[in-house]
Amino acid sequence: MSITSRPYGVTKASHEVTEYTLTNKQGASIKAITYGAILTSIIVPDNKGNMADVALGFETLDRYEGDHACMGDTVGRFGNRIALGKFTLEGKEYQLATNNGRNHLHGGIVGFSAKMWEATPVEGREQDSLKFHLVSPDGDENYPGTLDVTVTYTWDDLCNLSIRYEATTDKTTHCNLTNHTY
């Protein structure tokens, strides 16, 4: 198992983006970037041992900053649609941005897939992990509460990929995290 990193580009907002590659003993790998905690590649062997990328993704950062059908994205605060961009919690109504017709989709105008995440590689013997961390402040996209999120990609020698989501908040809020790798 090994974890490597390389510069992936600079965002329009001048943030340096890093790409991490987790490679197992078969030479199969996953790649993810700190922009959006986006999973950009999953390279695995077929039944004849030929390696192929089975995830749709892009080679350059500018494609992820544009409209890209959420390919590989970590979606949040809320993966899916909220009708009319409205919800009520503890007697208070919240109005969110409507970015999908009349509905709120995947966290709004600047969802988690368009934010810079902090990455921490964790090497192991039979599996490696990459932990992404983000703090979404109270009022971010008009959601209540500060949300502290960790998304962990774990890759093992058998080509198993697992994604673990952890989140804590200081107020009642909506949280529905997911990944949009195709």
Side-chain angles (χ1 to χ4, degrees):
M1 298 294 303
S2 74
I3 301 174
T4 59
S5 65
R6 72 175 184 94
Y8 191 74
V10 179
T11 67
K12 294 172 187 166
S14 300
H15 298 288
E16 293 183 9
V17 176
T18 302
E19 176 187 69
Y20 289 87
T21 303
L22 284 66
T23 305
N24 67 18
K25 68 181 178 183
Q26 298 180 52
S29 64
I30 64 167
K31 294 180 181 183
I33 58 175
T34 52
Y35 178 78
I38 295 173
L39 190 59
T40 61
S41 175
I42 304 171
I43 298 174
V44 292
D46 65 14
N47 61 350
K48 295 179 183 166
N50 300 312
M51 295 291 183
D53 195 343
V54 297
L56 295 177
F58 304 109
E59 295 294 323
T60 60
L61 178 61
D62 63 319
R63 295 296 305 272
Y64 288 109
E65 285 192 281
D67 182 18
H68 64 280
C70 300
M71 279 194 272
D73 288 2
T74 294
V75 177
R77 276 190 187 198
F78 194 86
N80 208 340
R81 289 162 185 83
I82 296 176
L84 305 176
K86 293 181 184 180
F87 66 89
T88 302
L89 282 177
E90 298 179 336
K92 182 177 178 182
E93 184 175 282
Y94 293 87
Q95 178 64 58
L96 306 174
T98 52
N99 60 330
N100 181 248
R102 297 174 29 163
N103 302 309
H104 177 84
L105 178 66
H106 295 338
I109 305 298
V110 184
F112 287 0
S113 63
K115 297 192 182 280
M116 290 300 302
W117 292 66
E118 178 182 306
T120 304
V122 180
E123 293 186 345
R125 288 183 58 155
E126 296 177 9
Q127 66 182 26
D128 287 336
S129 297
L130 185 58
K131 290 186 176 219
F132 286 104
H133 181 252
L134 175 73
V135 176
S136 176
D138 184 26
D140 187 13
E141 289 290 323
N142 210 33
Y143 284 93
T146 298
L147 192 67
D148 190 306
V149 180
T150 301
V151 177
T152 305
Y153 296 122
T154 300
W155 183 242
D156 71 17
D157 280 333
L158 299 175
C159 299
N160 294 309
L161 170 63
S162 66
I163 304 173
R164 179 184 171 101
Y165 303 94
E166 300 172 75
T168 58
T169 185
D170 58 0
K171 290 183 184 175
T172 302
T173 192
H174 281 316
C175 179
N176 185 35
L177 305 170
T178 193
N179 180 278
H180 254 292
T181 298
Y182 300 103

